[in-house]
Amino acid sequence: MLVGDGDAADAKRALLDRAGARIVDEDASDARVALIACPEPDAVAARLKARGMLVNVADRPDLCDFTLPAIVERAPVTIAIGTGGASAGLAAALRQRLEDLIPQSLGQLAQALAAARGAIRARWPDGGTRRRAIGAAMAGPLDPLRDQPEGAVDRWLAGDGADPARIVRIALRSADPDDLTLREARWLAQADRVSHRGDVPPEILTRARADAARLTCPAAPTGLPGLTVDLETPR
């Protein structure tokens, strides 16, 4: 159900149309969700909530049962940006930044990876090895933030796929995780384990994969498979 008119209601209608929703008027008894965009929404929201409907009210998070995220669409990839109703303007600004960053070919890359799922499993039967191979590809030949030509996944699969055990050292410049370079952040996101000194800030460690092992030790261990990222304490 969509209640209201004007620019705000038109924006809601466009969102509903894009999602394939069936929009009904206030007399409909089978509606379960209502979007309200009118000057005095309090009474309307109260009436529809009394009917058991879930309500979203434009610019009134205090009346909302749910909020609507800003959407970046690269079908089948959908990126939703929500602020919990704190600021629709902030969500919209972030969406615009991401629109500029994310190539249109991202959806084609996702579809190609889905089509190649069986071939990828056959190439790397072990789950850990497969994850590292895909992670390395996303940081290199299949970088999702780079426009990918048709056939990129097939060319990646036809390569040697080598994934040697390696240690990468990051000399931290500060305790602020925002001082990590993009490459350093990617290493942490791909790491199988993170070795670090005891005084490395936890804010840095949280940038690593959630399931990566954390090893507090004076030096990086050697001879372990996969990627080890060694964090050197900022001076």
Side-chain angles (χ1 to χ4, degrees), residues 46-226:
R47 183 172 69 254
L48 296 181
K49 287 185 179 187
R51 289 171 53 180
M53 299 181 67
L54 297 174
V55 168
N56 171 272
V57 183
D59 297 324
R60 289 291 302 274
D62 56 306
L63 296 178
C64 290
D65 296 312
F66 65 96
T67 58
L68 298 174
I71 298 295
V72 178
E73 189 74 53
R74 298 290 188 272
V77 178
T78 300
I79 301 170
I81 306 136
T83 64
S87 173
L90 174 59
L94 289 171
R95 181 195 64 79
Q96 188 57 55
R97 294 287 185 89
L98 289 174
E99 289 281 9
D100 294 338
L101 285 172
I102 298 172
Q104 290 296 323
S105 63
L106 180 62
Q108 297 171 7
L109 174 62
Q111 290 170 343
L113 287 167
R117 185 177 290 118
I120 293 170
R121 287 182 175 274
R123 178 73 184 276
W124 295 286
D126 175 71
T129 303
R130 183 168 60 250
R131 176 182 50 74
R132 289 191 293 272
I134 294 173
M138 294 297 126
L142 299 182
D143 185 345
L145 296 184
R146 193 172 67 201
D147 195 34
Q148 294 293 340
E150 187 175 352
V153 171
D154 291 337
R155 285 190 290 275
W156 165 61
L157 279 170
D160 60 21
D163 180 31
R166 58 195 175 114
I167 297 174
V168 171
R169 289 185 172 82
I170 298 177
L172 298 173
R173 289 165 290 280
S174 76
D176 187 350
D178 287 340
D179 284 340
L180 293 166
T181 67
L182 179 58
R183 177 170 298 194
E184 290 167 346
R186 284 177 172 171
W187 281 334
L188 283 169
Q190 297 167 20
D192 294 283
R193 69 197 61 81
V194 178
S195 59
H196 63 93
R197 315 299 85 83
D199 54 353
V200 167
E203 293 82 5
I204 299 287
L205 295 175
T206 57
R207 293 298 179 96
R209 281 180 42 239
D211 58 344
R214 272 71 165 172
L215 308 175
T216 305
C217 51
T222 59
L224 296 177

